[in-house]
Amino acid sequence: MSILKFLFTLFLITPILLQAKSNEDLSLLKVPMDEFIDSLMKKMTLEEKLGQLAQYAGGGSLGFNTRIDDDRKEMIRKGKVGSFLHVLGADFLGELQKIAVEESHLGIPLIFGLDVVHGLKTIFPVPLASACSFEPEAVKKTTRIAAVEAAASGIHWTFAPMVDIALDPRWGRIVEGAGEDPYLGAVMAKAQVEGYQGDGLSFENSILACPKHYVAYGAAQGGRDYNSAEVSKRTLGGVYLPPFLAAVKAGAGSLMNGFNDINGEPMASNRELLTSVLRGKWGFEGFVVSDWNSIAELINHGVAKDRVDAGKKALSAGIDMDMTSGIFGEEILKSVKKGEISQELVDKAVRRILETKYKLGLFDDPFKYCEVEAEKAEILKEEYIKFAKEIACKSIVLLKNENGVLPLKKDLEKIAVIGPLADDRRAPLGSWKAAGEEKDVVTVLEGIKNAVAKDTQVLYSRGCEVSGDDKSGFEEAVSVASEVDIVVLVLGESADMSGEARSRSEIGLPGVQKELAEIIVETGTNVVVVLMNGRPLATPYLSENVSAILETWLLGIQSGNAIADVLFGDYNPGGKLAVTIPRRVGQIPCFYYHKNTGRPASDDVRRHTARYIDLPITPLYPFGHGLSYTKFKYSGLKIKNKKVEANDSLEISFSLKNTGKVAGSEVVQLYVKDVVASVAPPVKKLVGFRRVYLGKGEEVRIGIKMPVNLLGFYNKEIKKVVEPGEVKIMIGSSSEGIRLDDSFIIEGEISEIDDSEIYYTAVKVNRD
Ligand code: NOJ
């Protein structure tokens, strides 16, 4: 500990030291958090307290900034800021921290935040992609590595994971989350929080997680970002809240509100959800940061008359830190002085922020993440890059593979790589690329060149741009395609077509890419399409006309190598869709856990059922779908306890065999359906899964232990209950590919279950 830091600490804890009874008590580390903070808060002026509630952007860049203006530095000196966001760099942040610690009145350290969403420098697949791995452990590892890199670069806090359930592919931010399913969303939320926060906030390399955007931000009407959400309490509790609950129970130390209103109540001032549910019911102990300027936007929502009013509403609803609007740091002061806002309310928020700083160990060592040498050593390590390829491979979903055209041979004489994204370095980095750099990206063209035999000729033609109507490259593309036996056609969306404020009203291939596909298909050459995109794309033409399709989303820096591994069979794909792919935009919302309705959709167009007259009833590809180069046989389903009560666990087992010619993996999926309930149940609901790796010919017995409480739903009184009666279980390789089914009985009375608890199914693979 430096002399300065020691003196600073001594100053803060003098009153405690005076009361200390033994030498042991004198150790700083032993000063309990509450006492430490009580003592600190006694010394703080009101201005300094409000300063802790204020977070400002470190500069103009929406990515990150490595310098800030002098007036910002002056604010630090005056104790007018508690946190900066959009900043990065051990050296730079060390410099800011030094000002805070050594030049401000009380020397309270700053907390630095950044959107580290799918990697800091080693960019991993976007969250929608990694959710398709159905491997929470692997996803956790991506966030652990991201935390290590971020911590080495001065960052204490990430604005992640984004755990918004998204049913609408028009919404550009669907790319940032784990897709449509609440159970998968909860599992992935937990994994990511655990990865970021590591063994605890005070540990080396741990960063604070911030699940966002609480809540129902993904339910934006029409898929238009920032739009209102109309969501019933039943749907809120059953669909949108579970991933947040999972993140909170996993120990997330902070949380961010959504920009949206729910049924007319903006989330930035929604006391019921921010305080009664989050803190009261769930016991959340961290702090809540507002999303960017969303406190001031309460005026636009029409629920606050001016900035002061907006600040009062947000603070009393439960927002603790104000991201960028400046209201908590400035306007609130007068209201507190006039007695319009209680000191107590301000103190509560200040305490939560100081507690977090304490838990992060910042009072003990404010410079813990500011070591320039560590920054150099920890970034983009060989092992991280290797893992970036592994998780990219796991995330790829093989949508179609007609006549086993894939995997390709590596010693082809010639192969053509065509398309606007084939050699694109930006798209794979996706939205929120943090410090990711294009120079570190391996494109599909490069990946293929790395993979093929040395005599294989790789021909390349761009064909067209991602958007626009220029077809001048078509002729060359056709001539290249005509020379070869196999074309790898790389199509999709550019990086800036998904993410925040990137909603689209069409979800097909942008520009003239479909026309490019058509003329390539017309050459008669076998076409394998590699899709790169940040949202489900409705591409029925491709599904009907090309031989194979890989959904690769936006895979990060190792994109090209991972795609090549799958194309040439070095990796057998096993990812499954975390989100339904519709046939057409008009089918939205299109998700697997819809209700049956009184007139369930039927293929027979003459009947009056819940269908469109101009579309088949099925999606293009269902949730959970994904092919492999091998085949799996499911058999021998056994239910150990056919009669259970709400608090029991259902125990089932079945056999899974790899009956194909190569090793591979299968994501076994367990769905349930209440046969009769007091409110209409969904046609099925995912309650368990596991990705199982099997060698050629290998057979295993899978054991599942499912808490019956997972069947809980919100009844007419909006109480979470499990009702007695028959429940169907369905085990399958996708939500539509059910391979085994049976049913069991829940006995007893209707039982109310604790909806502040989260339940998980254990799936075990018995290899004996
Ligand atoms: C606004 C976005 O909605 C949020 O997700 C992000 O964390 C903040 N800006 C900070 O960049």
Side-chain angles (χ1 to χ4, degrees):
M1 196 185 279
S2 73
I3 301 263
L4 262 172
K5 248 164 48 191
F6 178 73
L7 289 175
F8 153 70
T9 313
L10 204 62
F11 169 63
L12 288 182
I13 62 166
T14 304
I16 298 161
L17 295 178
L18 290 177
Q19 290 166 21
K21 293 186 190 68
S22 69
N23 276 348
E24 253 204 334
D25 292 345
L26 292 174
S27 145
L28 168 66
L29 290 174
K30 294 261 159 72
V31 178
M33 182 171 77
D34 289 351
E35 284 175 49
F36 181 83
I37 290 169
D38 286 346
S39 153
L40 178 56
M41 283 180 64
K42 276 189 200 131
K43 297 190 178 65
M44 293 171 81
T45 62
L46 178 58
E47 284 82 351
E48 282 164 346
K49 285 182 178 170
L50 294 173
Q52 286 303 307
L53 310 190
Q55 182 188 51
Y56 295 100
S61 164
L62 278 180
F64 61 86
N65 297 277
T66 51
R67 58 166 299 281
I68 59 170
D69 296 339
D70 288 346
D71 55 345
R72 287 277 196 248
K73 290 187 183 164
E74 201 44 36
M75 288 175 80
I76 306 177
R77 281 185 196 101
K78 291 190 173 143
K80 283 182 153 223
V81 50
S83 168
F84 281 108
L85 82 157
H86 291 182
V87 284
L88 188 70
D91 195 24
F92 165 55
L93 297 180
E95 185 199 328
L96 299 192
Q97 195 69 299
K98 197 157 184 279
I99 302 176
V101 171
E102 296 178 4
E103 297 180 43
S104 74
H105 166 214
L106 289 169
I108 301 174
L110 295 161
I111 173 169
F112 300 120
L114 185 72
D115 293 275
V116 182
V117 174
H118 54 115
L120 188 276
K121 191 86 172 179
T122 307
I123 300 296
F124 299 107
V126 291
L128 183 59
S130 58
C132 293
S133 73
F134 277 73
E135 257 191 71
E137 279 308 312
V139 171
K140 178 172 166 182
K141 191 164 169 190
T142 65
T143 54
R144 186 84 288 277
I145 294 172
V148 172
E149 287 194 342
S153 310
I155 296 300
H156 313 116
W157 181 20
T158 177
F159 308 118
M162 190 199 92
V163 302
D164 294 312
I165 295 297
L167 306 182
D168 193 330
R170 290 172 296 184
W171 190 49
R173 302 198 79 169
I174 196 169
V175 67
E176 294 176 49
E180 76 188 40
D181 184 67
Y183 184 76
L184 178 64
V187 172
M188 289 302 175
K190 175 175 185 281
Q192 292 178 81
V193 169
E194 288 173 353
Y196 286 126
Q197 297 195 167
D199 291 331
L201 291 182
S202 65
F203 283 74
E204 205 48 46
N205 302 326
S206 288
I207 63 172
L208 185 67
C210 184
K212 64 188 188 184
H213 308 80
Y214 186 73
V215 54
Y217 178 42
Q221 286 180 329
R224 194 153 47 86
D225 206 4
Y226 316 120
N227 208 0
S228 302
E230 286 290 326
V231 179
S232 72
K233 286 205 163 169
R234 179 168 304 122
T235 303
L236 190 66
V239 175
Y240 292 100
L241 284 175
F244 286 96
L245 175 60
V248 167
K249 294 288 163 185
S254 72
L255 186 129
M256 187 188 294
N257 71 284
F259 286 118
N260 56 299
D261 73 86
I262 301 186
N263 310 333
E265 282 193 63
M267 278 310 303
S269 60
N270 195 319
R271 192 174 156 78
E272 188 193 343
L273 287 163
L274 288 172
T275 297
S276 311
V277 172
L278 182 65
R279 296 192 185 280
K281 215 168 169 188
W282 296 358
F284 175 67
E285 287 182 346
F287 73 90
V288 178
V289 63
S290 71
D291 201 351
W292 186 282
N293 202 41
S294 64
I295 298 182
E297 288 166 16
L298 288 172
I299 304 169
N300 292 345
H301 277 287
V303 300
K305 65 177 186 298
D306 53 25
R307 284 170 62 86
V308 175
D309 192 25
K312 276 196 254 176
K313 291 202 158 106
L315 192 66
S316 23
I319 302 271
D320 302 304
M321 186 182 272
D322 172 354
M323 185 188 284
T324 73
S325 88
I327 293 179
F328 281 8
E330 304 292 334
E331 279 93 339
I332 285 283
L333 182 67
K334 281 192 220 109
S335 314
V336 186
K337 283 191 169 156
K338 278 200 243 155
E340 291 167 4
I341 292 183
S342 72
Q343 271 274 3
E344 203 193 334
L345 201 58
V346 173
D347 282 357
K348 265 194 190 161
V350 175
R351 181 174 289 278
R352 287 175 190 141
I353 288 157
L354 295 177
E355 278 175 0
T356 307
K357 292 184 176 181
Y358 182 100
K359 289 179 190 162
L360 279 164
L362 289 177
F363 287 109
D364 187 34
D365 182 3
F367 301 100
K368 71 180 211 178
Y369 292 163
C370 304
E371 285 166 28
V372 179
E373 286 315 309
E375 180 172 25
K376 281 191 208 131
E378 278 304 337
I379 298 297
L380 218 58
K381 275 186 175 172
E382 209 46 53
E383 61 182 279
Y384 302 165
I385 298 174
K386 202 167 152 233
F387 189 68
K389 179 169 143 188
E390 192 179 323
I391 181 73
C393 284
K394 287 175 192 277
S395 305
I396 295 173
V397 184
L398 177 61
L399 294 178
K400 173 180 181 184
N401 192 17
E402 207 170 68
N403 306 324
V405 62
L406 290 179
L408 304 173
K409 289 206 181 74
K410 285 188 182 170
D411 56 358
L412 293 162
E413 193 193 323
K414 281 181 189 172
I415 180 170
V417 185
I418 298 176
L421 291 163
D423 203 24
D424 186 296
R425 286 179 199 288
R426 179 61 188 89
L429 294 173
S431 151
W432 297 124
K433 68 181 179 61
E437 290 188 79
E438 292 182 23
K439 71 171 177 46
D440 296 321
V441 171
V442 179
T443 68
V444 180
L445 180 62
E446 289 165 345
I448 289 177
K449 284 184 178 163
N450 292 341
V452 290
K454 79 174 182 325
D455 295 336
T456 301
Q457 278 185 54
V458 182
L459 312 181
Y460 166 64
S461 171
R462 192 173 171 85
C464 63
E465 297 304 313
V466 171
S467 35
D469 52 12
D470 182 3
K471 299 183 189 169
S472 57
F474 278 22
E475 203 181 316
E476 181 198 80
V478 167
S479 105
V480 165
S482 314
E483 271 189 60
V484 296
D485 294 331
I486 280 283
V487 171
V488 175
L489 186 58
V490 191
L491 305 174
E493 297 181 308
S494 52
D496 62 358
M497 286 182 171
S498 59
E500 187 177 349
R502 295 286 182 269
S503 296
R504 290 180 60 201
S505 64
E506 295 290 348
I507 55 162
L509 284 168
V512 290
Q513 294 183 79
K514 181 175 167 240
E515 280 111 303
L516 176 67
E518 282 166 358
I519 55 149
I520 301 291
V521 166
E522 274 164 27
T523 63
T525 305
N526 255 332
V527 178
V528 172
V529 168
V530 170
L531 284 175
M532 274 192 195
N533 43 306
R535 57 164 57 74
L537 289 182
T539 53
Y541 171 81
L542 298 180
S543 299
E544 282 156 27
N545 293 284
V546 304
S547 306
I549 307 176
L550 286 183
E551 175 56 86
T552 74
W553 310 108
L554 309 168
L555 285 179
I557 54 171
Q558 279 291 301
S559 173
N561 285 337
I563 292 168
D565 271 8
V566 169
L567 288 172
F568 296 102
D570 288 333
Y571 187 88
N572 184 356
K576 302 277 183 169
L577 291 176
V579 67
T580 304
I581 302 185
R583 293 173 185 272
R584 222 187 260 177
V585 76
Q587 237 179 347
I588 298 169
C590 187
F591 58 105
Y592 84 89
Y593 52 91
H594 57 85
K595 298 181 188 75
N596 205 31
T597 79
R599 295 187 173 189
S602 143
D603 280 325
D604 184 351
V605 77
R606 289 162 309 177
R607 290 174 52 203
H608 291 196
T609 67
R611 60 161 295 152
Y612 295 103
I613 55 172
D614 54 356
L615 268 187
I617 55 173
T618 51
L620 194 57
Y621 297 103
F623 174 86
H625 169 76
L627 305 173
S628 164
Y629 297 153
T630 187
K631 289 196 163 38
F632 295 94
K633 187 172 160 235
Y634 290 65
S635 64
L637 174 61
K638 282 209 179 96
I639 303 186
K640 191 170 160 199
N641 44 352
K642 275 219 157 202
K643 293 189 173 161
V644 294
E645 296 195 357
N647 283 325
D648 295 340
S649 284
L650 180 78
E651 292 190 44
I652 59 184
S653 62
F654 63 93
S655 298
L656 181 74
K657 183 170 185 184
N658 178 349
T659 55
K661 296 196 177 81
V662 289
S665 66
E666 169 71 321
V667 178
V668 295
Q669 301 160 43
L670 171 65
Y671 297 89
V672 289
K673 180 187 188 298
D674 246 322
V675 176
V676 177
S678 58
V679 295
V683 291
K684 50 178 88 81
K685 139 172 166 170
L686 184 74
V687 287
F689 62 85
R690 169 97 182 242
R691 186 160 178 170
V692 183
Y693 289 81
L694 292 184
K696 178 183 158 195
E698 193 181 357
E699 179 165 21
V700 287
R701 193 90 193 140
I702 312 278
I704 301 187
K705 216 169 163 185
M706 180 204 68
V708 176
N709 279 343
L710 266 171
L711 273 146
F713 64 90
Y714 288 85
N715 68 5
K716 290 182 199 165
E717 288 78 41
I718 313 297
K719 297 244 159 62
K720 198 168 190 187
V721 294
V722 170
E723 292 181 345
E726 186 185 359
V727 177
K728 224 178 142 188
I729 60 170
M730 293 156 272
I731 291 169
S733 75
S734 85
S735 60
E736 290 297 320
I738 301 304
R739 305 288 185 83
L740 301 168
D741 60 25
D742 203 337
S743 64
F744 66 96
I745 306 286
I746 302 176
E747 296 186 317
E749 301 296 308
I750 295 176
S751 61
E752 196 175 329
I753 60 170
D754 184 356
D755 68 345
S756 66
E757 274 311 317
I758 184 102
Y759 304 94
Y760 296 104
T761 296
V763 185
K764 240 184 104 195
V765 182
N766 299 306
R767 294 202 180 257
D768 324 320

